Amino acid sequence: GENVEQHPSTLSVQEGDSAVIKCTYSDSASNYFPWYKQELGKGPQLIIDIRSNVGEKKDQRIAVTLNKTAKHFSLHITETQPEDSAVYFCAASKNSGYSTLTFGKGTMLLVSP
Amino acid sequence: DSGVTQTPKHLITATGQRVTLRCSPRSGDLSVYWYQQSLDQGLQFLIQYYNGEERAKGNILERFSAQQFPDLHSELNLSSLELGDSALYFCASTRDGSNQPQHFGDGTRLSIL
């Protein structure tokens, strides 16, 4: 089955800096890659996703890049703010009719004022 | 607010007991997914239902079962509980069973004493 590796497990940055979280996947058939943000006491919230027919997608301060050849994708957050502090999860799935998500282990991002 | 409702928010019980967790998907969503989140295993997919039928199974123990009712709400039943079953249990939903963003509820925290 699919295996998703996520790095780093923790990331500390100063407010205003950029943060990058990287994930690799094992199944070359995977074609959908969402990113979730989970705050304390809450469920994971989708923040951005990308499909394998594009290489990059941006939404304000958040961007995701995908390298299908290398089977890795990354989340980029620019101009970080304290409210960006949370656990971020990457995931992968394939369009096999009834797809399921395989998640990375998560990255705890701490943005210091 | 994702629109996915999970009850109860917290559940405390003892080893050997049985509990039922409930999930109401977003309005119009036909597919429901259950996940277990623990500190050491991350988010693990358990089972998926689509319009009342089981569609995919993940790492779900035989002591666990689920069902989706005609009104599309779903229940996850956990029996013969063990200390290791203590975790957060999340439900997510999508419009149908294909490769779409999953919207998560805020989970049920299960504590086994």
Side-chain angles (χ1 to χ4, degrees):
Chain A
E2 175 66 278
N3 183 50
V4 177
E5 300 281 341
Q6 183 172 347
H7 299 280
S9 56
T10 59
L11 179 59
S12 293
V13 300
Q14 292 291 317
E15 182 178 1
D17 288 349
S18 294
V20 180
I21 302 170
K22 299 182 179 182
C23 289
T24 60
Y25 60 99
S26 61
D27 190 341
S28 56
S30 288
N31 60 0
Y32 175 62
F33 308 94
W35 285 89
Y36 286 84
K37 174 184 181 182
Q38 186 176 19
E39 297 175 327
L40 197 62
K42 297 287 189 181
Q45 177 188 10
L46 179 72
I47 55 172
I48 196 167
D49 58 7
I50 192 169
R51 297 188 184 271
S52 59
N53 57 344
V54 298
E56 184 176 4
K57 184 176 178 181
K58 288 183 180 180
D59 182 4
Q60 299 183 350
R61 296 185 298 108
I62 293 173
V64 57
T65 59
L66 171 65
N67 184 326
K68 287 174 55 180
T69 302
K71 289 190 283 188
H72 68 69
F73 56 114
S74 300
L75 177 71
H76 304 254
I77 305 174
T78 58
E79 300 173 21
T80 54
Q81 302 167 3
E83 51 265 38
D84 293 330
S85 296
V87 179
Y88 291 80
F89 292 94
C90 63
S93 70
K94 56 187 176 184
N95 194 10
S96 61
Y98 297 97
S99 61
T100 61
L101 286 173
T102 300
F103 284 84
K105 295 267 193 216
T107 295
M108 181 176 292
L109 174 64
L110 178 61
V111 181
S112 303
Chain B
D1 183 7
S2 68
V4 178
T5 303
Q6 289 188 249
T7 57
K9 291 189 185 301
H10 303 279
L11 203 47
I12 302 174
T13 188
T15 56
Q17 296 299 304
R18 172 189 170 95
V19 296
T20 297
L21 313 183
R22 182 188 170 101
C23 168
S24 293
R26 291 190 317 165
S27 177
D29 284 1
L30 299 177
S31 195
V32 170
Y33 307 75
W34 285 98
Y35 292 86
Q36 180 191 59
Q37 186 177 43
S38 57
L39 283 175
D40 58 341
Q41 292 294 320
L43 270 163
Q44 296 284 314
F45 167 71
L46 296 178
I47 197 164
Q48 177 200 0
Y49 278 82
Y50 173 73
N51 204 20
E53 294 186 5
E54 180 184 308
R55 283 306 183 195
K57 252 183 177 179
N59 300 321
I60 188 166
L61 300 172
E62 287 190 9
R63 300 183 286 107
F64 296 0
S65 65
Q67 54 185 325
Q68 187 179 27
F69 294 86
D71 67 353
L72 302 176
H73 91 271
S74 178
E75 293 180 356
L76 179 67
N77 301 295
L78 315 177
S79 62
S80 303
L81 287 168
E82 302 175 359
L83 293 177
D85 297 328
S86 295
L88 278 164
Y89 291 85
F90 287 102
C91 168
S93 72
T94 59
R95 188 70 55 185
D96 56 37
S98 63
N99 229 5
Q100 297 175 347
Q102 294 184 18
H103 300 273
F104 283 77
D106 284 338
T108 293
R109 180 176 294 278
L110 177 63
S111 299
I112 313 299
L113 303 179

